[in-house]
Amino acid sequence: MKQLESKTVAVGENTFYIRPFPAFKASNIFGQLAKTVTPVIGGVLSLAGEGGGKGGSLFDIDFDKAAPALAGALSDLSGDKLEALLKQLLIDYKNVSTDDPSTGRTVNLTEDLANEIFCGDIQDMLILAMEVVKLNYSGFFSKLAAQFGGAFESLQARMKASTAGTAS
């Protein structure tokens, strides 16, 4: 069963196990994600094509190298909306677990545990959130690109151009 399969991801010094969202929860979260992240999508797309990505894809970005630029792009977001989205992606649906450093057992990521793990390493929390997005929605973006082909590539080019114009 797809929903019970987990993906192992190392972020910073921690190992996380991510399971996909149920289909209807995924669609709800996608709506929140689109509403929250749309203002910065141009900055993220520019990272994919300018050396941050291995193959020019949004999901091929080397987030260790791109984390500072990504954090800068996210700085225009409402803190409350970003916090709510991160909780949805990482905690609310118990889809992310990790090895508890105090017990060594694998446990669901909770707010207290996330606060302990990511204290001083907010960029790692954003990287983990992107891994959750990648697991749940990468098929959507690749199918979107295939459906719209040149139009999607044109949008990426326009977003890069608008980002480059605002960076000066």
Side-chain angles (χ1 to χ4, degrees):
M1 297 188 78
K2 289 181 189 180
Q3 208 173 330
L4 299 178
E5 296 173 14
S6 66
K7 175 184 176 185
T8 303
V9 176
V11 178
E13 297 176 6
N14 299 286
T15 301
F16 297 92
Y17 311 96
I18 307 169
R19 285 180 289 112
F21 295 120
F24 289 103
K25 286 295 177 196
S27 64
N28 177 287
I29 294 168
F30 184 76
Q32 295 302 318
L33 185 65
K35 198 164 50 170
T36 304
V37 178
T38 297
V40 297
I41 199 72
V44 174
L45 286 175
S46 70
L47 292 173
E50 295 177 8
K54 299 170 193 122
S57 166
L58 175 62
F59 290 111
D60 288 334
I61 294 172
D62 181 343
F63 284 101
D64 288 333
K65 292 179 181 173
L70 182 59
L74 292 173
S75 68
D76 290 337
L77 290 177
S78 156
D80 291 336
K81 288 181 182 179
L82 183 58
E83 179 182 359
L85 180 61
L86 288 170
K87 285 181 178 178
Q88 277 190 310
L89 291 170
L90 304 177
I91 296 171
D92 291 350
Y93 302 109
K94 300 182 183 346
N95 58 306
V96 177
S97 55
T98 189
D99 299 322
D100 185 335
S102 62
T103 65
R105 295 185 319 165
T106 301
V107 296
N108 286 331
L109 189 63
T110 63
E111 185 171 352
D112 288 338
L113 185 54
N115 284 334
E116 181 63 28
I117 291 171
F118 299 117
C119 182
D121 290 315
I122 300 301
Q123 71 278 3
D124 285 352
M125 184 168 54
L126 295 173
I127 292 168
L128 179 60
M130 282 302 300
E131 290 292 339
V132 172
V133 169
K134 184 177 176 180
L135 175 68
N136 283 281
Y137 305 108
S138 64
F140 174 83
F141 291 107
S142 62
K143 288 178 184 175
L144 180 68
Q147 285 290 318
F148 295 101
F152 190 73
E153 290 170 9
S154 175
L155 174 63
Q156 267 189 307
R158 286 183 187 161
M159 296 295 273
K160 284 182 199 177
S162 70
T163 303
T166 59
S168 329

